[in-house]
Amino acid sequence: MFSYYGSKGRFIDYYPKPIYDTIIEPFAGSAKYSCAYPEKKVILIDKFQHVVNAWQAILSASKEDIEALVQPAPYENFLKYCKDENQKSLYAFITTFAANSTRCSSSKYVERVFRACKARMLANVELIKHWECSKGNYTDAPDIEATWFLDGPYQFGGEHYNCSNKKINFNHLREWALSRKGQIIICENTRAQWIEITPFAKNWGLAGKRSVEGYWTNMGYVTKNNQTVLDLMAA
């Protein structure tokens, strides 16, 4: 629904479809994978309070509430448009590209970003009332059978998040991730050393840094569009 650093929006069709009725994202961010399947039961968890606040603002909003959101001018302080802390966090994410911290003023890109985010929220806000979002560590996720989409800070490149890779024990994350029940999809780039990643797309990150996106799964490397990841790399 909103722009966030490391978002998987342009890669969603490359990942397998969820085969369970419940999707769990223990590193929620903007939850682009879950957003592709709004009808599913979705459980979002994130350590960053402002991400949780933004999702709470969306999940508690009506279509009329979203319509009432005011687009600030470039570089304008948007606090006067916010009725509470949840909306303040939401505005921080919908007034610039890929914000990873809370701010009080919009960016020069506000018109483009705000318009796109508002349109997505209007199209989906009534479809996701059954979703849940809470603050916590990945280990706080319920131990249930589900489709697990794990898109945490990458081992190499994940230092830019407010809750960065510096506080992640990747050996523990691997052990925990592989013990989940159901369908497991782990996002990483091919530099990762904690899990073997199958590549599917070249990507350009911050400061023009190039990386190769990929994922590990326990249930077959077939994308949403029924392509294999090898087909994608060969294209």
Side-chain angles (χ1 to χ4, degrees):
M1 303 293 174
F2 52 87
S3 181
Y4 193 66
Y5 178 72
S7 168
K8 294 298 181 292
R10 63 185 182 278
F11 296 134
I12 288 305
D13 288 345
Y14 295 176
Y15 298 109
K17 292 180 180 179
I19 63 175
Y20 288 87
D21 291 333
T22 299
I23 299 173
I24 303 177
E25 293 204 44
F27 304 91
S30 57
K32 286 297 196 295
Y33 183 79
S34 293
C35 286
Y37 307 97
E39 74 283 359
K40 298 287 187 178
K41 178 180 179 182
V42 171
I43 300 173
L44 305 177
I45 299 170
D46 205 283
K47 288 179 67 175
F48 189 29
Q49 185 65 60
H50 292 293
V51 165
V52 177
N53 288 351
W55 275 113
Q56 294 294 354
I58 295 170
L59 295 177
S60 64
S62 65
K63 234 176 179 181
E64 290 73 23
D65 293 329
I66 301 300
E67 285 280 14
L69 295 175
V70 178
Q71 178 182 304
Y75 308 113
E76 181 183 5
N77 186 306
F78 52 66
L79 291 183
K80 62 185 176 183
Y81 303 123
C82 305
K83 66 180 183 181
D84 55 28
E85 287 297 310
N86 288 349
Q87 275 203 352
K88 177 182 174 182
S89 296
L90 179 61
Y91 264 89
F93 292 125
I94 64 176
T95 56
T96 193
F97 285 114
N100 68 352
S101 62
T102 186
R103 303 162 8 266
C104 296
S105 61
S106 60
S107 75
K108 65 180 179 180
Y109 305 108
V110 61
E111 182 176 357
R112 178 178 171 189
V113 181
F114 190 91
R115 183 172 62 248
C117 291
K118 189 170 184 177
R120 285 194 294 267
M121 288 188 285
L122 284 172
N124 291 283
V125 68
E126 298 295 345
L127 304 177
I128 62 173
K129 292 299 182 187
H130 57 291
W131 287 22
E132 303 172 17
C133 182
S134 60
K135 185 177 185 293
N137 194 40
Y138 63 86
T139 53
D140 294 319
D143 188 15
I144 60 175
E145 193 170 40
T147 291
W148 293 81
F149 191 78
L150 279 63
D151 183 23
Y154 287 1
Q155 187 174 20
F156 296 95
E159 63 274 9
H160 303 289
Y161 293 88
N162 287 79
C163 301
S164 74
N165 58 10
K166 297 176 183 178
K167 295 185 178 181
I168 295 178
N169 180 325
F170 283 94
N171 289 328
H172 179 269
L173 178 58
R174 182 181 189 279
E175 181 180 346
W176 179 87
L178 298 186
S179 69
R180 297 307 89 199
K181 303 168 186 174
Q183 180 186 20
I184 307 167
I185 304 168
I186 300 173
C187 304
E188 255 287 7
N189 61 41
T190 52
R191 295 182 65 194
Q193 298 173 349
W194 65 280
I195 194 80
E196 185 176 352
I197 292 298
T198 298
F200 64 71
K202 296 175 182 177
N203 189 28
W204 293 91
L206 290 178
K209 293 182 180 179
R210 178 176 162 179
S211 63
V212 178
E213 289 286 326
Y215 65 89
W216 180 93
T217 184
N218 63 336
M219 292 193 176
Y221 290 84
V222 178
T223 71
K224 180 180 177 182
N225 292 332
N226 295 319
Q227 291 180 288
T228 68
V229 290
L230 295 179
D231 292 334
L232 291 169
M233 287 301 291

